[in-house]
Amino acid sequence: VRVGIGDDCALLRARAGEELAVTTDLSIDGRHFRLEWHSPEVVGHRTLARGLSDLAAMGARPVAAFLSLGLPPELIRNRWPQHPWIGRFYDGLLKLAAEYKTPLAGGDLAESPVAVADIVLIGAVPRGRAMLRSGARAGDRIYATGALGGAAAGLARIAELAAEAGPATVKRPLRIPARLRAALEPHFNPRPRVAQGLWLVRNRVATAGLDLSDGLSTDLNHLCEESGVAAEVNAAAVPVYRYTAAGGATLEQALHGGEDYELLFTAGPKTRVPRSIAGVQVTEIGRVVRRRAGRPLVTLITASGARPLEPRGWEHFS
Ligand SMILES: [Mg+2]
């Protein structure tokens, strides 16, 4: 970033041999977050995490972020006794931005009847090397980073809490007990797999890839459509999120729950894929097969037989 906030435009200087990756994500109160459930810091963190995860999905290095906010007047003005909402929102967003070395290089703020945050992320990737959804071939193995279902399990727990606690408001938000912190970590504090995406591109390991934002069943179907292939997932191999021996996600949440922001990628059968990349585990969960008429795009293989894995990704709060 040569010129950031303060002038009419930001000026970005591209490095030789790179191309730019651009992604935009809209977060709306009641749809992607709830003001009465999510602290301002969590909303800020999750807003940026969505964009960073899309860069990770292509193996792009973050260059700059641009943020447009529309907020109800009471969230902008400093009416509250302690912190104004918008200041805490920026705290959450800028903390993650600093960790991922992503400068906020511009944006806009306006009053709006509904809280909305629109984030634009610019990344850079060596020319012709970005991970695409379209490169998977029959015979490739399918891998996932990290563990799946944690965000959906956390969201389900929050919904239970909210049902027990009765109506919450922005000024009197849902109280989250400290004992639930580990259980809610994947939902409140997702860690985009930028380092893992960069590693995959640098080492030319992946034939195709995307991030798990909508859920494994939905995102793997997307990958198969773009690559013109089908896939088989081994249910027993799916890394289901656990935070204690007793607590964690269900297999259904791991298969269909969105917002895990892990990477799903494919690699050739002879490619050596490490068990972990930049400190995050990598698990082989299935294989790419030829597409056949009358057969499902994605098949789930379980101990009791095979069944189609229909895209049933989470529709958040709809
Ligand atoms: Mg994505």
Side-chain angles (χ1 to χ4, degrees):
V1 177
R2 201 163 73 72
V3 176
I5 294 170
D7 222 307
D8 293 298
C9 293
L11 290 178
L12 307 179
R13 188 180 283 160
R15 286 185 194 163
E18 284 187 336
E19 52 195 350
L20 296 178
V22 183
T23 174
T24 172
D25 281 290
L26 188 59
S27 298
I28 304 174
D29 178 27
R31 178 82 188 159
H32 305 92
F33 62 89
R34 284 192 172 184
L35 287 171
E36 68 273 26
W37 289 4
H38 296 99
S39 72
E41 290 89 348
V42 162
V43 178
H45 177 105
R46 285 165 46 89
T47 294
L48 179 60
R50 289 181 65 193
L52 285 172
S53 184
D54 279 330
L55 293 186
M58 306 281 283
R61 162 178 74 80
V63 171
F66 299 86
L67 173 72
S68 289
L69 281 176
L71 294 175
E74 63 270 24
L75 301 188
I76 298 175
R77 294 189 206 119
N78 190 359
R79 275 203 206 142
W80 290 7
Q82 287 134 5
H83 309 283
W85 192 92
I86 191 170
R88 291 177 56 194
F89 170 91
Y90 275 113
D91 286 347
L93 187 137
L94 292 174
K95 184 164 177 276
L96 185 67
E99 286 173 45
Y100 283 73
K101 299 187 173 60
T102 308
L104 185 62
D108 199 6
L109 172 65
E111 286 190 6
S112 157
V114 179
V116 296
D118 185 31
I119 192 104
V120 174
L121 265 288
I122 312 285
V125 62
R127 197 171 295 162
R129 300 267 299 277
M131 246 188 321
L132 304 179
R133 297 177 175 190
S134 54
R137 296 293 170 260
D140 286 357
R141 306 298 187 245
I142 303 168
Y143 300 84
T145 63
L148 308 182
L155 182 58
R157 193 71 194 83
I158 295 166
E160 280 173 25
L161 269 182
E164 289 161 14
T169 64
V170 182
K171 290 197 179 182
R172 290 185 181 280
L174 183 66
R175 281 195 46 225
I176 308 284
R179 68 186 159 77
L180 287 181
R181 200 166 295 157
L184 302 184
E185 184 74 2
H187 177 72
F188 281 157
N189 191 31
R191 314 299 304 175
R193 300 310 188 191
V194 169
Q196 291 69 27
L198 288 172
W199 189 94
L200 290 169
V201 160
R202 196 180 324 120
N203 293 284
R204 300 174 190 261
V205 164
T207 52
L210 44 50
D211 66 318
L212 289 170
S213 51
D214 297 336
L216 175 64
S217 62
T218 299
D219 289 318
L220 184 52
N221 269 276
H222 290 325
L223 188 142
C224 286
E225 276 165 17
E226 293 301 318
S227 291
V229 295
E232 293 175 356
V233 171
N234 190 351
V238 172
V240 180
Y241 178 77
R242 309 218 67 83
Y243 59 93
T244 62
T250 63
L251 177 63
E252 285 297 294
Q253 287 167 332
L255 292 173
H256 303 295
E259 300 188 311
D260 282 320
Y261 299 117
E262 296 294 345
L263 297 183
L264 181 76
F265 64 93
T266 56
K270 288 178 183 160
T271 303
R272 277 186 48 165
V273 176
R275 283 162 182 256
S276 83
I277 300 173
V280 172
Q281 69 167 359
V282 174
T283 310
E284 183 180 329
I285 61 166
R287 63 193 188 109
V288 179
V289 296
R290 209 160 279 142
R291 195 184 280 187
R292 293 221 173 90
R295 295 263 188 91
L297 220 47
V298 181
T299 302
L300 184 71
I301 299 178
T302 68
S304 56
R307 63 176 168 92
L309 185 60
E310 305 284 358
R312 284 204 286 119
W314 267 55
E315 279 296 313
H316 307 290
F317 304 110
S318 64

